[in-house]
Amino acid sequence: MTQHTKPAGVLLLLAILLLSLNLRPAIAAIGPLIQSISHDAGVRSVGISLLTTIPVLMMGLGAIYAARIRQALGERGGITAGSALIAVACLMRLWADDRNGLFLSAALVGLGIAVIQALLPGFIKRNFGARTSSVIALYSTGIVAGAAIGSGTASWLEDQLGWLSTLASWSLPAALATVFWLLASLGSQHEGRSNVQAAARSVPFWRIGRCWSLLLFFGIGTGAFMLAMAWISPFYIGLGLGKATAGLLLSVLTVVEALTALWLSFAIGRFPDRRGLLLTSLLLVAAGFLLLIVAPLLAPYFAVSLLGVGIGILFPLSIIVAMDHLKDPTLAGNFTAFVQGGGFIIASLVPLTAGSLRDVFNDLSYIWLLMSIASLGMLVLAVRFSPASYQQFQQDLAELQAGELKPA
């Protein structure tokens, strides 16, 4: 059942941050370990891409069924289960020394992440109200910071522990986050398990064009994030840079992303109209990918920093803009899940496409170009996301609900 006593805000914020820190390391650590995984497990570029694609695809499928997950597990219980599953899946990698074990653990990691990402935005809106945008930005900061830590420590940990233990080591922080979450969320407001049929509360979001534009926007932004995380290090190793330098470039990218997202968590209140930030982020992402094509070795740290700033704004803002469209926490959570579901499925194809192109052409320039074009194309959508359009969206949705929904 839903509880009405608010928890200590700082502890709940810390719990959300700890959860978010564990949502990307199991994926981000793959890139710096590609050589060892390829050699020891016999996995080629497409297979390596699947280790990123499978979790992201699972995130998309989990988001699509967010309403049913909320109904079956409740928000607090579902988030707990998702975090625990990440811990178990990471621990499994101690024995995942072939492609089948790696693919299975990737699917379980993705499922755990999917459950958390499907339920946490609605939980945040329910508990933080007017501060939702700032907390979502902090949550996104944790995601990119976790990616930075996962990628930045992978090579060093591999030298100390081996690549299997490096991947498995993320089970410990995931387990700690699970325990802390259980304690910190005791007095939180959350939607519990429900016997009401999910279909009775479903909303046909797909009937409104704005839903699809937000879905596409989130997919491109997340695809850029996943692509950079998976292939920046291998790209620069292929250009002749050492493993340590290539890993450092990825670390710079993810640290810049994290710092930018952290800045956004404090500054987002000064931008009620998000379009200026959206346009800036898209231009920076396009410029970063283009620089990787025309002059990757001229100023590599500048190129990855451009990507870091652009993605650091774009990734959290694509969630925030979706949340802006609705006020009801459960409805906003389901809507965000719809946007993330389709968006993650789109994003899952990006690293897979990169791996396929690399196997065929031995070159990643084609995927950099495709992402540059896609980012510039998103400018057409971004200019339409005005605060006034949120009101029109709510009106369209209310009319649609009145005509389409069955009575509860």
Side-chain angles (χ1 to χ4, degrees):
M1 295 181 62
T2 303
Q3 299 183 27
H4 300 285
T5 303
K6 286 196 174 183
V10 174
L11 288 179
L12 191 57
L13 279 173
L14 182 56
I16 291 169
L17 182 60
L18 290 175
L19 287 172
S20 65
L21 284 169
N22 285 280
L23 297 183
R24 292 297 180 273
I27 306 172
I30 297 294
L33 304 178
I34 279 180
Q35 289 179 315
S36 297
I37 296 173
S38 298
H39 180 269
D40 295 344
V43 181
R44 298 185 62 195
S45 294
V46 171
I48 293 293
S49 294
L50 283 172
L51 295 178
T52 300
T53 294
I54 290 172
V56 179
L57 181 60
M58 293 300 294
M59 293 178 209
L61 295 175
I64 289 172
Y65 292 101
R68 289 178 171 83
I69 293 171
R70 183 181 290 107
Q71 179 196 12
L73 301 175
E75 286 175 340
R76 182 170 177 264
I79 292 167
T80 303
S83 185
L85 185 56
I86 293 172
V88 171
C90 288
L91 185 61
M92 284 176 53
R93 286 179 161 176
L94 272 175
W95 303 278
D97 57 354
D98 61 17
R99 69 182 66 195
N100 294 329
L102 286 169
F103 292 159
L104 175 60
S105 65
L108 293 177
V109 162
L111 181 59
I113 295 170
V115 172
I116 294 174
Q117 290 183 162
L119 301 180
L120 199 52
F123 176 89
I124 289 172
K125 193 172 186 73
R126 195 182 311 282
N127 283 271
F128 292 95
R131 293 184 293 158
T132 293
S133 295
S134 294
V135 179
I136 289 288
L138 181 65
Y139 158 69
S140 301
T141 300
I143 291 178
V144 294
I149 297 168
S151 61
T153 60
S155 294
W156 179 82
L157 284 174
E158 182 188 14
D159 292 338
Q160 310 302 313
L161 306 172
W163 68 271
L164 284 171
S165 296
T166 296
L167 292 176
S169 65
W170 284 99
S171 61
L172 180 59
L176 293 174
T178 304
V179 174
F180 193 89
W181 162 259
L182 274 172
L183 297 174
S185 61
L186 277 173
S188 64
Q189 296 185 52
H190 57 269
E191 185 168 333
R193 298 174 60 185
S194 172
N195 293 321
V196 177
Q197 291 297 314
R201 302 185 65 190
S202 63
V203 180
F205 294 119
W206 58 88
R207 299 285 299 276
I208 303 177
R210 170 57 59 90
C211 299
W212 291 103
S213 62
L214 286 166
L215 183 154
L216 182 61
F217 199 88
F218 180 82
I220 296 299
T222 304
F225 179 30
M226 294 298 179
L227 177 65
M229 192 167 59
W231 286 107
I232 285 293
S233 285
F235 173 68
Y236 274 105
I237 289 173
L239 293 178
L241 296 187
K243 176 182 171 183
T245 303
L248 180 60
L249 283 167
L250 180 59
S251 296
V252 169
L253 184 146
T254 50
V255 167
V256 171
E257 284 178 357
L259 292 175
T260 304
L262 181 62
W263 166 81
L264 187 68
S265 69
F266 292 106
I268 189 66
R270 296 201 293 269
F271 299 94
D273 188 337
R274 321 294 195 194
R275 288 177 295 177
L277 288 173
L278 287 173
L279 296 175
T280 301
S281 66
L282 289 167
L283 291 172
L284 289 172
V285 169
F289 281 125
L290 287 173
L291 196 54
L292 292 181
I293 299 171
V294 300
L297 294 174
L298 180 63
Y301 291 98
F302 179 63
V304 298
S305 295
L306 284 178
L307 284 173
V309 175
I311 296 171
I313 297 173
L314 182 59
F315 176 67
L317 208 53
S318 62
I319 303 175
I320 291 169
V321 170
M323 295 291 286
D324 284 343
H325 278 70
L326 291 166
K327 297 178 181 179
D328 177 76
T330 299
L331 193 59
N334 289 343
F335 176 57
T336 305
F338 170 82
V339 169
Q340 288 184 319
F344 277 126
I345 291 173
I346 292 172
S348 72
L349 301 176
V350 176
L352 183 62
T353 303
S356 301
L357 291 174
R358 187 174 186 258
D359 276 343
V360 173
F361 299 106
N362 198 31
D363 186 5
L364 286 166
S365 296
Y366 296 99
I367 193 66
W368 302 149
L369 179 60
L370 286 174
M371 287 307 300
S372 298
I373 294 171
S375 299
L376 292 174
M378 291 301 99
L379 293 170
V380 178
L381 295 179
V383 296
R384 302 177 62 190
F385 296 157
S386 67
S389 70
Y390 305 162
Q391 301 297 323
Q392 182 61 51
F393 173 81
Q394 293 170 23
Q395 181 179 336
D396 291 343
L397 185 61
E399 293 174 358
L400 187 62
Q401 284 181 279
E404 295 287 341
L405 287 185
K406 300 175 183 179

